[in-house]
Amino acid sequence: MNLVGNAVDAMPNGGTLTVSRGTPGRREVLRGGAGHGRRIPAADREKMFEPYFTTKASGLGLGLVLTKKIVDAHGGEIAVESAPGKGTRIEVALPAVPSAKGAPG
């Protein structure tokens, strides 16, 4: 939810937020991209998962820190791509969990 909220905040004039799910190999992958959102400068990308770092007028700068901790705790990874004119794409990859025998899915 934090990643989606940040994407919406990055598009104050509207835009397109795309969230998709795929399963390349043995990992569950959630991709999110704000195609018309703001680009994240390289200096900010280096600090965006540090506690209390924020570029917003309000907020504590803990949302992405907690998001990363949750992803890390599940053995996952977060990748960030950001380019002028293309916006920002954040990809969360988590290890796939096999379905329980007899469980729907």
Side-chain angles (χ1 to χ4, degrees):
M1 292 300 297
N2 180 266
L3 295 175
V4 171
N6 285 351
V8 170
D9 290 347
M11 299 183 291
N13 299 320
T16 302
L17 171 64
T18 303
V19 178
S20 63
R21 176 184 170 267
T23 53
R26 297 183 337 209
R27 296 177 73 77
E28 296 286 338
V29 178
L30 175 66
R31 294 180 182 91
H36 296 90
R38 293 186 299 235
R39 179 182 73 83
I40 301 171
D44 289 351
R45 282 195 308 270
E46 292 176 14
K47 297 184 272 183
M48 64 191 281
F49 295 108
E50 293 180 10
Y52 308 110
F53 175 78
T54 184
T55 59
K56 296 180 180 183
S58 64
L60 297 174
L62 294 175
L64 288 176
V65 173
L66 295 175
T67 299
K68 184 164 180 2
K69 281 186 177 276
I70 292 167
V71 171
D72 288 347
H74 287 86
E77 299 172 351
I78 298 180
V80 180
E81 294 177 13
S82 193
K86 293 186 178 182
T88 297
R89 183 178 115 160
I90 297 180
E91 183 173 288
V92 176
L94 298 169
V97 177
S99 301
K101 214 174 201 183

